[in-house]
Amino acid sequence: MKLYFYVSRALREGQFPFSLLPTRGARMRIARLTLLLSLIFAVSSPVLSQQPSKQNSLESVPTAEFARMVREFSEDGGYFMSDNFTSNETSYLHVIDKLRELGVTGGAYIGVGPEQNFTYIAKIRPRIAFIVDTRRQAMIQHLMYKAIFHLSPNRTQFLSRLFSKPLPKEGAPAPDAPAADFMAFFGKYAATDQAYAANLAEIKKTIQEEFQFPISDRDRESLEYVYKSFRENGLDIAFRLDASYYGGYFPSLKDLALQTDLNGKTGNFLASADDYNFVRGMQKKNLIIPVVGDFSGPKALASIGDYLRKNGLAVTSFYTSNVEQYLFDSAIFEGFAKNVKKLPIDDKSVFIRAVFHMRYTHPARKQDHMSVTLLQRMKVFLKDFDEGLYPSYRELIVTNYIAP
């Protein structure tokens, strides 16, 4: 034992005197011991060890941690001029093939707004996702969605709960049915007061007990307002501007679910059982985290950046919709760029942007769509910003963009 201790210490110090050993046999035994100890040192060394770290093995988020992040990453809620019950971007699928071509997959996803995020999550397949919106009501709506995902093993039950439409005993679409079959099926049935009341109570209970997220009186009002809107409008529910703003046409949830990519293929998260199951799996593992935050604010994006860095993840995709337009309008775009610099990114990280033709006509616009969806490398964005290439929103959307 003394010899082993002496040898191990001498090996660590690099000073073992092999020439002093008296016999060839002793030298052979020490050589074998040397090899054994060197292997032990290699495995235990913090520099050479290849053991997976906690940071590289994020598979789920504990419920208490999920609730903490929603609370502590969030900023004070802000005002926006609309109820974003649904997206208003019919071009949202046009970049799916380009995302696949650019290798945008895995890592962390950041987004804004309502259900279009589920489609991007289903296609990009990130390890974790954060939905950041300045409206607290948007966070409550995502907790509502999370509860409905938890309670609904398939698309049929999801839509039944979302619209407060009880299912008949027979005639529901097959598990692998296309989105059109689900839209047609739920278009035939009416919501009921009984289903609405029972579902709302179950959603509230799930949020407070299973998600460990306490609902204030104001949050309860928001939840009831949003859920009642889905009950009353059904498949026709859509983006809604405040009465003081110009309205115009906005696509319904049914329209969005039936949209196609540039090859004529449907791609909404409700169009495929596999995509629905992926999003539901992330929800059940607490890996889709809604946060109240301004893109230029002091805490939300910075907190997300810190969390991702600690867990060894880079942002692969950041869906901004057209939020940057309003950041320029409010003269706070520089704050957003500074927050982007706090996020861990790599060469494949991209922005996903929507540009609306009501104010800007973009060279990449597609006929029959009120918006065009574009990509841009996040590193290119930061380089261009530092070089002063974005004096206004117009320069942002036409500089170094990647068309669908």
Side-chain angles (χ1 to χ4, degrees), residues 371-399:
S371 62
V372 59
T373 304
L374 308 168
L375 304 178
Q376 186 186 37
R377 298 285 194 192
M378 293 179 72
K379 284 191 174 181
V380 170
F381 164 82
L382 291 176
K383 179 177 179 293
D384 289 350
F385 175 80
D386 287 341
E387 293 177 0
L389 299 187
Y390 303 139
S392 74
Y393 180 67
R394 184 176 297 277
E395 282 80 14
L396 173 71
I397 61 178
V398 297
T399 303

Side-chain angles (χ1 to χ4, degrees), residues 182-213:
F182 286 91
M183 300 302 109
F185 176 78
F186 282 99
K188 294 186 296 185
Y189 297 96
T192 69
D193 292 340
Q194 294 84 353
Y196 170 78
N199 290 341
L200 180 59
E202 195 169 22
I203 289 168
K204 289 177 181 176
K205 180 179 179 181
T206 301
I207 292 172
Q208 294 188 106
E209 295 183 7
E210 292 195 34
F211 304 162
Q212 300 178 19
F213 190 87

Side-chain angles (χ1 to χ4, degrees), residues 15 35 68 71 88 100-101 147 156 191 223 241 243 248 250 252 265 293 308 321-322 327 375 392 397:
Q15 297 175 350
L35 177 61
R68 182 195 69 80
R71 292 193 310 270
N88 58 354
R100 192 174 295 116
E101 177 186 323
T156 306
L223 175 61
L241 282 170
F250 296 110
S252 67
K265 182 180 178 181
L308 295 179
S321 186
N322 66 329
L327 298 178
L375 304 178
S392 74
I397 61 178

Side-chain angles (χ1 to χ4, degrees), residues 252-267:
S252 67
L253 188 145
K254 178 181 178 180
D255 296 329
L256 294 165
L258 297 178
Q259 283 299 315
T260 60
D261 62 19
L262 293 176
N263 296 312
K265 182 180 178 181
T266 56

